[in-house]
Amino acid sequence: MSKIKVLQIGPLSERFNRELAAEYEVSALWQQAEPLTFLRQQGGQFRYMVSSARFGCTAEQLELLPNLRAICSFGVGHDPYPLELLRERGIAISTTPDVLNDCVADLAMGLIIDSARRLSASDRFVRSGAWADGQSFPLARRVSGKRLGIVGLGRIGEAVAQRAAGFAMPLRYHNRRAVEGSPYQHEPDLLALARWADFLVLTCPGGAATRNLIDAEVLEALGADGFLINVARGSVVDEAALITALQNGVIAGAGLDVYQLEPQVPPALRELDNVVLLPHVGSASVETRQQMADLVLDNLRSFVASGKLLTPL
């Protein structure tokens, strides 16, 4: 019996790639010398696609996949997909929610602590020999009891809030609408939240609706004692405005796991000592990445068997 054909847009882990290939006949688009030519010639045979929040797919690719029925995506981000076109064509798409909440929230708290207490900077200070030479490391900022503003109180935002309770941090959040039953104070005015907060944590979705949501005005409202923490999407922040704010002391510092043009990080950011820079590793633990991979496969199996996804977007 021949295997079901699956189009894979970009590589995931070696283990995932092996498991997918063991069950399905996989065509790896990134390995094709001319991907679009391949799709023009072979695209009609694919009903199922596997991709990720990193690779997504384009409208041009979809035009060459006339029989596509479902996309199973690794990650929770959906901004690299042309969602309106998917809806028009009735193509189902799944993501991998919930399984990464804890790891991303852990990382957000780590960035809060690192940015304020300057852990990475003090590590560099010791390694440079400055401490041994008798120099003193500058005082940092306290975390416990400081005010935490969350932009986007969804699954991950809720997980960050749970962790912040252990640091006795008063909390308010900004969503387009208040979360029913939430014990936290809803702040409909983003600028007001920024003015109130000591730490502004971004856990909102990416996409057109939130592009450059955090601009120069919001950063100015956050102020010279405030810290910006972004574990959402790079598109949410006006990166040029953030660089200027960090350079000029408009805000105290930042902790970033995401950027506008990943994996390219602006040299101006890399040169600053008041920002912690991570290589988009919010979900990058062995346990979480395996759970995400398993969920992608389970969604694909479910759709092949029943026409239904387990975690549809």
Side-chain angles (χ1 to χ4, degrees), residues 243-292:
I243 291 170
T244 299
L246 289 166
Q247 289 173 333
N248 297 332
V250 173
I251 63 173
L256 309 176
D257 188 41
V258 289
Y259 311 89
Q260 285 190 349
L261 297 175
E262 295 177 11
Q264 303 304 318
V265 178
L269 270 181
R270 290 188 274 117
E271 292 167 1
L272 291 167
D273 202 45
N274 58 343
V275 56
V276 180
L277 304 173
L278 303 183
H280 202 156
V281 291
S283 66
S285 70
V286 172
E287 299 87 350
T288 294
R289 287 290 172 87
Q290 187 56 50
Q291 287 180 294
M292 292 167 66

mmCIF file of all heavy atoms in Angstrom, residues 243-292:
data_model
loop_
_atom_site.group_PDB
_atom_site.id
_atom_site.type_symbol
_atom_site.label_atom_id
_atom_site.label_comp_id
_atom_site.label_asym_id
_atom_site.label_seq_id
_atom_site.Cartn_x
_atom_site.Cartn_y
_atom_site.Cartn_z
ATOM 1 N N ILE A 243 15.584 50.795 19.455
ATOM 2 C CA ILE A 243 17.031 51.059 19.484
ATOM 3 C C ILE A 243 17.296 52.480 19.970
ATOM 4 O O ILE A 243 18.157 52.713 20.830
ATOM 5 C CB ILE A 243 17.644 50.827 18.087
ATOM 6 C CG1 ILE A 243 17.622 49.326 17.748
ATOM 7 C CG2 ILE A 243 19.069 51.364 18.022
ATOM 8 C CD1 ILE A 243 17.975 49.019 16.311
ATOM 9 N N THR A 244 16.562 53.429 19.429
ATOM 10 C CA THR A 244 16.736 54.825 19.849
ATOM 11 C C THR A 244 16.440 54.990 21.334
ATOM 12 O O THR A 244 17.166 55.682 22.056
ATOM 13 C CB THR A 244 15.815 55.736 19.019
ATOM 14 O OG1 THR A 244 16.170 55.634 17.639
ATOM 15 C CG2 THR A 244 15.940 57.183 19.460
ATOM 16 N N ALA A 245 15.377 54.331 21.807
ATOM 17 C CA ALA A 245 14.999 54.434 23.219
ATOM 18 C C ALA A 245 16.074 53.841 24.125
ATOM 19 O O ALA A 245 16.381 54.393 25.191
ATOM 20 C CB ALA A 245 13.659 53.734 23.452
ATOM 21 N N LEU A 246 16.668 52.738 23.720
ATOM 22 C CA LEU A 246 17.730 52.113 24.512
ATOM 23 C C LEU A 246 19.007 52.954 24.486
ATOM 24 O O LEU A 246 19.703 53.088 25.491
ATOM 25 C CB LEU A 246 18.011 50.705 23.987
ATOM 26 C CG LEU A 246 16.927 49.656 24.257
ATOM 27 C CD1 LEU A 246 17.162 48.415 23.398
ATOM 28 C CD2 LEU A 246 16.896 49.283 25.732
ATOM 29 N N GLN A 247 19.313 53.502 23.332
ATOM 30 C CA GLN A 247 20.524 54.324 23.203
ATOM 31 C C GLN A 247 20.443 55.604 24.032
ATOM 32 O O GLN A 247 21.452 56.043 24.601
ATOM 33 C CB GLN A 247 20.751 54.681 21.728
ATOM 34 C CG GLN A 247 21.197 53.520 20.856
ATOM 35 C CD GLN A 247 21.233 53.896 19.383
ATOM 36 O OE1 GLN A 247 20.501 54.790 18.935
ATOM 37 N NE2 GLN A 247 22.057 53.213 18.612
ATOM 38 N N ASN A 248 19.270 56.170 24.130
ATOM 39 C CA ASN A 248 19.104 57.485 24.757
ATOM 40 C C ASN A 248 18.551 57.427 26.170
ATOM 41 O O ASN A 248 18.251 58.480 26.760
ATOM 42 C CB ASN A 248 18.199 58.362 23.892
ATOM 43 C CG ASN A 248 18.799 58.639 22.523
ATOM 44 O OD1 ASN A 248 20.016 58.657 22.368
ATOM 45 N ND2 ASN A 248 17.955 58.835 21.535
ATOM 46 N N GLY A 249 18.409 56.221 26.731
ATOM 47 C CA GLY A 249 17.922 56.105 28.096
ATOM 48 C C GLY A 249 16.450 56.421 28.256
ATOM 49 O O GLY A 249 15.996 56.722 29.364
ATOM 50 N N VAL A 250 15.701 56.357 27.150
ATOM 51 C CA VAL A 250 14.253 56.581 27.228
ATOM 52 C C VAL A 250 13.611 55.483 28.076
ATOM 53 O O VAL A 250 12.669 55.722 28.824
ATOM 54 C CB VAL A 250 13.630 56.625 25.821
ATOM 55 C CG1 VAL A 250 12.101 56.689 25.891
ATOM 56 C CG2 VAL A 250 14.174 57.816 25.043
ATOM 57 N N ILE A 251 14.126 54.237 27.947
ATOM 58 C CA ILE A 251 13.740 53.142 28.835
ATOM 59 C C ILE A 251 15.020 52.583 29.459
ATOM 60 O O ILE A 251 16.130 52.811 28.962
ATOM 61 C CB ILE A 251 12.971 52.025 28.098
ATOM 62 C CG1 ILE A 251 13.834 51.358 27.021
ATOM 63 C CG2 ILE A 251 11.680 52.562 27.524
ATOM 64 C CD1 ILE A 251 13.168 50.141 26.376
ATOM 65 N N ALA A 252 14.854 51.843 30.548
ATOM 66 C CA ALA A 252 16.026 51.326 31.264
ATOM 67 C C ALA A 252 16.687 50.168 30.547
ATOM 68 O O ALA A 252 17.913 50.018 30.582
ATOM 69 C CB ALA A 252 15.623 50.896 32.682
ATOM 70 N N GLY A 253 15.883 49.329 29.907
ATOM 71 C CA GLY A 253 16.461 48.163 29.253
ATOM 72 C C GLY A 253 15.397 47.319 28.590
ATOM 73 O O GLY A 253 14.202 47.640 28.613
ATOM 74 N N ALA A 254 15.839 46.211 27.996
ATOM 75 C CA ALA A 254 14.917 45.325 27.288
ATOM 76 C C ALA A 254 15.457 43.905 27.313
ATOM 77 O O ALA A 254 16.665 43.680 27.448
ATOM 78 C CB ALA A 254 14.716 45.791 25.846
ATOM 79 N N GLY A 255 14.544 42.965 27.172
ATOM 80 C CA GLY A 255 14.886 41.557 27.004
ATOM 81 C C GLY A 255 14.126 41.038 25.805
ATOM 82 O O GLY A 255 12.899 41.086 25.764
ATOM 83 N N LEU A 256 14.842 40.571 24.791
ATOM 84 C CA LEU A 256 14.224 40.212 23.513
ATOM 85 C C LEU A 256 14.541 38.779 23.120
ATOM 86 O O LEU A 256 15.700 38.357 23.153
ATOM 87 C CB LEU A 256 14.730 41.147 22.407
ATOM 88 C CG LEU A 256 14.659 42.656 22.666
ATOM 89 C CD1 LEU A 256 15.290 43.418 21.508
ATOM 90 C CD2 LEU A 256 13.214 43.093 22.890
ATOM 91 N N ASP A 257 13.508 38.057 22.714
ATOM 92 C CA ASP A 257 13.695 36.720 22.145
ATOM 93 C C ASP A 257 13.319 36.689 20.676
ATOM 94 O O ASP A 257 13.533 35.681 20.011
ATOM 95 C CB ASP A 257 12.843 35.707 22.929
ATOM 96 C CG ASP A 257 13.127 34.260 22.523
ATOM 97 O OD1 ASP A 257 14.322 33.933 22.332
ATOM 98 O OD2 ASP A 257 12.172 33.469 22.389
ATOM 99 N N VAL A 258 12.757 37.789 20.172
ATOM 100 C CA VAL A 258 12.258 37.839 18.799
ATOM 101 C C VAL A 258 12.630 39.182 18.168
ATOM 102 O O VAL A 258 12.808 40.179 18.867
ATOM 103 C CB VAL A 258 10.731 37.637 18.752
ATOM 104 C CG1 VAL A 258 10.361 36.204 19.089
ATOM 105 C CG2 VAL A 258 10.020 38.594 19.705
ATOM 106 N N TYR A 259 12.699 39.171 16.821
ATOM 107 C CA TYR A 259 13.178 40.346 16.089
ATOM 108 C C TYR A 259 12.418 40.454 14.772
ATOM 109 O O TYR A 259 11.775 39.507 14.318
ATOM 110 C CB TYR A 259 14.687 40.214 15.826
ATOM 111 C CG TYR A 259 15.434 39.844 17.085
ATOM 112 C CD1 TYR A 259 15.619 38.508 17.427
ATOM 113 C CD2 TYR A 259 15.900 40.817 17.961
ATOM 114 C CE1 TYR A 259 16.265 38.150 18.605
ATOM 115 C CE2 TYR A 259 16.544 40.474 19.138
ATOM 116 C CZ TYR A 259 16.721 39.140 19.463
ATOM 117 O OH TYR A 259 17.339 38.790 20.633
ATOM 118 N N GLN A 260 12.529 41.605 14.136
ATOM 119 C CA GLN A 260 11.759 41.837 12.919
ATOM 120 C C GLN A 260 12.242 40.988 11.752
ATOM 121 O O GLN A 260 11.436 40.488 10.973
ATOM 122 C CB GLN A 260 11.816 43.330 12.542
ATOM 123 C CG GLN A 260 10.937 44.205 13.430
ATOM 124 C CD GLN A 260 10.817 45.624 12.914
ATOM 125 O OE1 GLN A 260 11.531 46.043 12.007
ATOM 126 N NE2 GLN A 260 9.901 46.384 13.491
ATOM 127 N N LEU A 261 13.552 40.830 11.614
ATOM 128 C CA LEU A 261 14.103 40.111 10.453
ATOM 129 C C LEU A 261 14.996 38.964 10.918
ATOM 130 O O LEU A 261 16.186 38.926 10.608
ATOM 131 C CB LEU A 261 14.889 41.079 9.552
ATOM 132 C CG LEU A 261 14.086 42.216 8.920
ATOM 133 C CD1 LEU A 261 14.998 43.171 8.167
ATOM 134 C CD2 LEU A 261 13.005 41.668 7.972
ATOM 135 N N GLU A 262 14.413 38.052 11.663
ATOM 136 C CA GLU A 262 15.201 36.925 12.184
ATOM 137 C C GLU A 262 15.770 36.087 11.036
ATOM 138 O O GLU A 262 15.102 35.903 10.020
ATOM 139 C CB GLU A 262 14.309 36.044 13.062
ATOM 140 C CG GLU A 262 13.811 36.748 14.305
ATOM 141 C CD GLU A 262 12.868 35.883 15.124
ATOM 142 O OE1 GLU A 262 12.774 34.672 14.839
ATOM 143 O OE2 GLU A 262 12.231 36.409 16.044
ATOM 144 N N PRO A 263 17.007 35.572 11.181
ATOM 145 C CA PRO A 263 17.859 35.666 12.373
ATOM 146 C C PRO A 263 18.779 36.894 12.401
ATOM 147 O O PRO A 263 19.717 36.941 13.193
ATOM 148 C CB PRO A 263 18.695 34.388 12.260
ATOM 149 C CG PRO A 263 18.876 34.213 10.792
ATOM 150 C CD PRO A 263 17.589 34.677 10.168
ATOM 151 N N GLN A 264 18.501 37.868 11.560
ATOM 152 C CA GLN A 264 19.322 39.073 11.542
ATOM 153 C C GLN A 264 18.914 39.997 12.697
ATOM 154 O O GLN A 264 17.755 40.390 12.791
ATOM 155 C CB GLN A 264 19.178 39.809 10.205
ATOM 156 C CG GLN A 264 19.523 38.959 8.989
ATOM 157 C CD GLN A 264 20.924 38.382 9.067
ATOM 158 O OE1 GLN A 264 21.872 39.070 9.461
ATOM 159 N NE2 GLN A 264 21.068 37.117 8.700
ATOM 160 N N VAL A 265 19.858 40.311 13.549
ATOM 161 C CA VAL A 265 19.639 41.247 14.654
ATOM 162 C C VAL A 265 20.445 42.504 14.351
ATOM 163 O O VAL A 265 21.650 42.410 14.075
ATOM 164 C CB VAL A 265 20.081 40.631 16.001
ATOM 165 C CG1 VAL A 265 19.909 41.632 17.137
ATOM 166 C CG2 VAL A 265 19.291 39.358 16.283
ATOM 167 N N PRO A 266 19.837 43.679 14.372
ATOM 168 C CA PRO A 266 20.553 44.903 14.009
ATOM 169 C C PRO A 266 21.840 45.080 14.813
ATOM 170 O O PRO A 266 21.851 44.860 16.034
ATOM 171 C CB PRO A 266 19.546 46.010 14.346
ATOM 172 C CG PRO A 266 18.218 45.356 14.241
ATOM 173 C CD PRO A 266 18.429 43.945 14.726
ATOM 174 N N PRO A 267 22.938 45.451 14.153
ATOM 175 C CA PRO A 267 24.195 45.689 14.877
ATOM 176 C C PRO A 267 24.035 46.668 16.028
ATOM 177 O O PRO A 267 24.664 46.505 17.077
ATOM 178 C CB PRO A 267 25.117 46.252 13.787
ATOM 179 C CG PRO A 267 24.590 45.675 12.516
ATOM 180 C CD PRO A 267 23.103 45.619 12.696
ATOM 181 N N ALA A 268 23.165 47.663 15.856
ATOM 182 C CA ALA A 268 22.968 48.649 16.923
ATOM 183 C C ALA A 268 22.434 47.990 18.191
ATOM 184 O O ALA A 268 22.788 48.407 19.307
ATOM 185 C CB ALA A 268 22.017 49.751 16.454
ATOM 186 N N LEU A 269 21.591 46.984 18.056
ATOM 187 C CA LEU A 269 21.104 46.257 19.232
ATOM 188 C C LEU A 269 22.219 45.438 19.859
ATOM 189 O O LEU A 269 22.369 45.370 21.079
ATOM 190 C CB LEU A 269 19.940 45.337 18.851
ATOM 191 C CG LEU A 269 18.523 45.884 18.911
ATOM 192 C CD1 LEU A 269 17.524 44.808 18.509
ATOM 193 C CD2 LEU A 269 18.185 46.417 20.295
ATOM 194 N N ARG A 270 23.012 44.782 19.012
ATOM 195 C CA ARG A 270 24.085 43.915 19.515
ATOM 196 C C ARG A 270 25.177 44.702 20.244
ATOM 197 O O ARG A 270 25.905 44.150 21.060
ATOM 198 C CB ARG A 270 24.679 43.102 18.363
ATOM 199 C CG ARG A 270 23.716 42.049 17.833
ATOM 200 C CD ARG A 270 24.344 41.108 16.830
ATOM 201 N NE ARG A 270 24.310 41.632 15.480
ATOM 202 C CZ ARG A 270 25.368 41.923 14.743
ATOM 203 N NH1 ARG A 270 26.577 41.774 15.239
ATOM 204 N NH2 ARG A 270 25.235 42.373 13.516
ATOM 205 N N GLU A 271 25.271 45.976 19.947
ATOM 206 C CA GLU A 271 26.305 46.799 20.578
ATOM 207 C C GLU A 271 25.888 47.346 21.940
ATOM 208 O O GLU A 271 26.722 47.845 22.695
ATOM 209 C CB GLU A 271 26.657 47.968 19.646
ATOM 210 C CG GLU A 271 27.362 47.530 18.368
ATOM 211 C CD GLU A 271 27.412 48.628 17.327
ATOM 212 O OE1 GLU A 271 26.909 49.745 17.626
ATOM 213 O OE2 GLU A 271 27.924 48.374 16.215
ATOM 214 N N LEU A 272 24.596 47.249 22.263
ATOM 215 C CA LEU A 272 24.102 47.834 23.509
ATOM 216 C C LEU A 272 24.240 46.862 24.676
ATOM 217 O O LEU A 272 24.043 45.651 24.525
ATOM 218 C CB LEU A 272 22.623 48.221 23.347
ATOM 219 C CG LEU A 272 22.355 49.393 22.411
ATOM 220 C CD1 LEU A 272 20.867 49.477 22.079
ATOM 221 C CD2 LEU A 272 22.827 50.699 23.043
ATOM 222 N N ASP A 273 24.544 47.389 25.851
ATOM 223 C CA ASP A 273 24.721 46.557 27.036
ATOM 224 C C ASP A 273 23.476 46.526 27.915
ATOM 225 O O ASP A 273 23.430 45.792 28.900
ATOM 226 C CB ASP A 273 25.913 47.059 27.867
ATOM 227 C CG ASP A 273 26.462 45.980 28.780
ATOM 228 O OD1 ASP A 273 26.635 44.836 28.308
ATOM 229 O OD2 ASP A 273 26.710 46.270 29.968
ATOM 230 N N ASN A 274 22.453 47.310 27.565
ATOM 231 C CA ASN A 274 21.236 47.345 28.384
ATOM 232 C C ASN A 274 20.092 46.561 27.741
ATOM 233 O O ASN A 274 18.915 46.810 28.000
ATOM 234 C CB ASN A 274 20.796 48.787 28.652
ATOM 235 C CG ASN A 274 20.534 49.578 27.379
ATOM 236 O OD1 ASN A 274 20.955 49.183 26.294
ATOM 237 N ND2 ASN A 274 19.855 50.708 27.509
ATOM 238 N N VAL A 275 20.444 45.584 26.898
ATOM 239 C CA VAL A 275 19.443 44.713 26.290
ATOM 240 C C VAL A 275 19.976 43.283 26.294
ATOM 241 O O VAL A 275 21.147 43.040 26.000
ATOM 242 C CB VAL A 275 19.094 45.171 24.855
ATOM 243 C CG1 VAL A 275 20.319 45.247 23.968
ATOM 244 C CG2 VAL A 275 18.044 44.258 24.236
ATOM 245 N N VAL A 276 19.108 42.348 26.679
ATOM 246 C CA VAL A 276 19.436 40.922 26.643
ATOM 247 C C VAL A 276 18.879 40.357 25.349
ATOM 248 O O VAL A 276 17.690 40.517 25.054
ATOM 249 C CB VAL A 276 18.831 40.180 27.856
ATOM 250 C CG1 VAL A 276 19.186 38.699 27.802
ATOM 251 C CG2 VAL A 276 19.319 40.802 29.158
ATOM 252 N N LEU A 277 19.723 39.688 24.568
ATOM 253 C CA LEU A 277 19.342 39.198 23.251
ATOM 254 C C LEU A 277 19.382 37.673 23.225
ATOM 255 O O LEU A 277 20.440 37.067 23.464
ATOM 256 C CB LEU A 277 20.296 39.747 22.190
ATOM 257 C CG LEU A 277 20.444 41.278 22.127
ATOM 258 C CD1 LEU A 277 21.532 41.667 21.148
ATOM 259 C CD2 LEU A 277 19.114 41.924 21.751
ATOM 260 N N LEU A 278 18.261 37.055 22.920
ATOM 261 C CA LEU A 278 18.171 35.603 22.810
ATOM 262 C C LEU A 278 17.789 35.218 21.377
ATOM 263 O O LEU A 278 17.103 35.978 20.692
ATOM 264 C CB LEU A 278 17.120 35.049 23.785
ATOM 265 C CG LEU A 278 17.300 35.383 25.264
ATOM 266 C CD1 LEU A 278 16.211 34.688 26.087
ATOM 267 C CD2 LEU A 278 18.673 34.972 25.762
ATOM 268 N N PRO A 279 18.189 34.026 20.914
ATOM 269 C CA PRO A 279 17.950 33.623 19.519
ATOM 270 C C PRO A 279 16.625 32.895 19.304
ATOM 271 O O PRO A 279 16.594 31.779 18.787
ATOM 272 C CB PRO A 279 19.146 32.721 19.228
ATOM 273 C CG PRO A 279 19.420 32.053 20.543
ATOM 274 C CD PRO A 279 19.122 33.102 21.592
ATOM 275 N N HIS A 280 15.515 33.510 19.713
ATOM 276 C CA HIS A 280 14.177 32.943 19.550
ATOM 277 C C HIS A 280 14.124 31.510 20.093
ATOM 278 O O HIS A 280 13.891 30.548 19.350
ATOM 279 C CB HIS A 280 13.727 32.972 18.089
ATOM 280 C CG HIS A 280 12.230 32.899 17.940
ATOM 281 N ND1 HIS A 280 11.564 33.370 16.834
ATOM 282 C CD2 HIS A 280 11.272 32.383 18.758
ATOM 283 C CE1 HIS A 280 10.262 33.166 16.976
ATOM 284 N NE2 HIS A 280 10.059 32.551 18.140
ATOM 285 N N VAL A 281 14.293 31.397 21.392
ATOM 286 C CA VAL A 281 14.359 30.083 22.048
ATOM 287 C C VAL A 281 13.244 29.900 23.069
ATOM 288 O O VAL A 281 13.362 29.074 23.982
ATOM 289 C CB VAL A 281 15.736 29.868 22.713
ATOM 290 C CG1 VAL A 281 16.820 29.714 21.661
ATOM 291 C CG2 VAL A 281 16.091 31.019 23.678
ATOM 292 N N GLY A 282 12.142 30.637 22.912
ATOM 293 C CA GLY A 282 11.071 30.571 23.893
ATOM 294 C C GLY A 282 10.569 29.170 24.165
ATOM 295 O O GLY A 282 10.309 28.796 25.313
ATOM 296 N N SER A 283 10.430 28.357 23.132
ATOM 297 C CA SER A 283 9.931 26.990 23.301
ATOM 298 C C SER A 283 11.041 25.952 23.228
ATOM 299 O O SER A 283 10.769 24.750 23.195
ATOM 300 C CB SER A 283 8.880 26.673 22.224
ATOM 301 O OG SER A 283 9.483 26.668 20.936
ATOM 302 N N ALA A 284 12.292 26.414 23.231
ATOM 303 C CA ALA A 284 13.411 25.527 22.898
ATOM 304 C C ALA A 284 13.922 24.733 24.092
ATOM 305 O O ALA A 284 15.061 24.894 24.528
ATOM 306 C CB ALA A 284 14.545 26.330 22.270
ATOM 307 N N SER A 285 13.071 23.861 24.611
ATOM 308 C CA SER A 285 13.524 22.840 25.540
ATOM 309 C C SER A 285 13.280 21.487 24.893
ATOM 310 O O SER A 285 12.404 21.347 24.028
ATOM 311 C CB SER A 285 12.786 22.925 26.879
ATOM 312 O OG SER A 285 11.443 22.516 26.726
ATOM 313 N N VAL A 286 14.047 20.503 25.290
ATOM 314 C CA VAL A 286 13.905 19.160 24.716
ATOM 315 C C VAL A 286 12.474 18.666 24.874
ATOM 316 O O VAL A 286 11.859 18.153 23.926
ATOM 317 C CB VAL A 286 14.897 18.184 25.390
ATOM 318 C CG1 VAL A 286 14.623 16.750 24.949
ATOM 319 C CG2 VAL A 286 16.335 18.572 25.077
ATOM 320 N N GLU A 287 11.938 18.840 26.085
ATOM 321 C CA GLU A 287 10.606 18.314 26.374
ATOM 322 C C GLU A 287 9.527 19.004 25.540
ATOM 323 O O GLU A 287 8.659 18.351 24.948
ATOM 324 C CB GLU A 287 10.283 18.481 27.864
ATOM 325 C CG GLU A 287 11.227 17.742 28.793
ATOM 326 C CD GLU A 287 12.467 18.560 29.164
ATOM 327 O OE1 GLU A 287 12.699 19.629 28.556
ATOM 328 O OE2 GLU A 287 13.202 18.121 30.071
ATOM 329 N N THR A 288 9.582 20.339 25.496
ATOM 330 C CA THR A 288 8.534 21.078 24.795
ATOM 331 C C THR A 288 8.601 20.867 23.296
ATOM 332 O O THR A 288 7.567 20.676 22.639
ATOM 333 C CB THR A 288 8.635 22.576 25.139
ATOM 334 O OG1 THR A 288 8.339 22.741 26.523
ATOM 335 C CG2 THR A 288 7.656 23.401 24.314
ATOM 336 N N ARG A 289 9.791 20.896 22.733
ATOM 337 C CA ARG A 289 9.892 20.708 21.284
ATOM 338 C C ARG A 289 9.390 19.316 20.867
ATOM 339 O O ARG A 289 8.792 19.156 19.795
ATOM 340 C CB ARG A 289 11.336 20.928 20.835
ATOM 341 C CG ARG A 289 11.762 22.399 20.852
ATOM 342 C CD ARG A 289 11.058 23.188 19.756
ATOM 343 N NE ARG A 289 11.277 24.616 19.841
ATOM 344 C CZ ARG A 289 12.307 25.255 19.294
ATOM 345 N NH1 ARG A 289 13.241 24.575 18.651
ATOM 346 N NH2 ARG A 289 12.413 26.561 19.399
ATOM 347 N N GLN A 290 9.611 18.305 21.707
ATOM 348 C CA GLN A 290 9.096 16.987 21.373
ATOM 349 C C GLN A 290 7.572 16.951 21.455
ATOM 350 O O GLN A 290 6.900 16.358 20.608
ATOM 351 C CB GLN A 290 9.687 15.922 22.297
ATOM 352 C CG GLN A 290 9.315 14.491 21.895
ATOM 353 C CD GLN A 290 9.700 14.166 20.462
ATOM 354 O OE1 GLN A 290 10.825 14.390 20.044
ATOM 355 N NE2 GLN A 290 8.740 13.655 19.679
ATOM 356 N N GLN A 291 7.013 17.622 22.467
ATOM 357 C CA GLN A 291 5.554 17.690 22.576
ATOM 358 C C GLN A 291 4.954 18.418 21.371
ATOM 359 O O GLN A 291 3.893 18.020 20.861
ATOM 360 C CB GLN A 291 5.154 18.400 23.863
ATOM 361 C CG GLN A 291 5.363 17.585 25.126
ATOM 362 C CD GLN A 291 4.939 18.371 26.358
ATOM 363 O OE1 GLN A 291 5.533 19.392 26.716
ATOM 364 N NE2 GLN A 291 3.900 17.904 27.015
ATOM 365 N N MET A 292 5.617 19.456 20.919
ATOM 366 C CA MET A 292 5.133 20.193 19.756
ATOM 367 C C MET A 292 5.175 19.312 18.508
ATOM 368 O O MET A 292 4.221 19.278 17.720
ATOM 369 C CB MET A 292 5.976 21.456 19.550
ATOM 370 C CG MET A 292 5.796 22.496 20.645
ATOM 371 S SD MET A 292 7.056 23.805 20.579
ATOM 372 C CE MET A 292 6.647 24.618 19.023
#
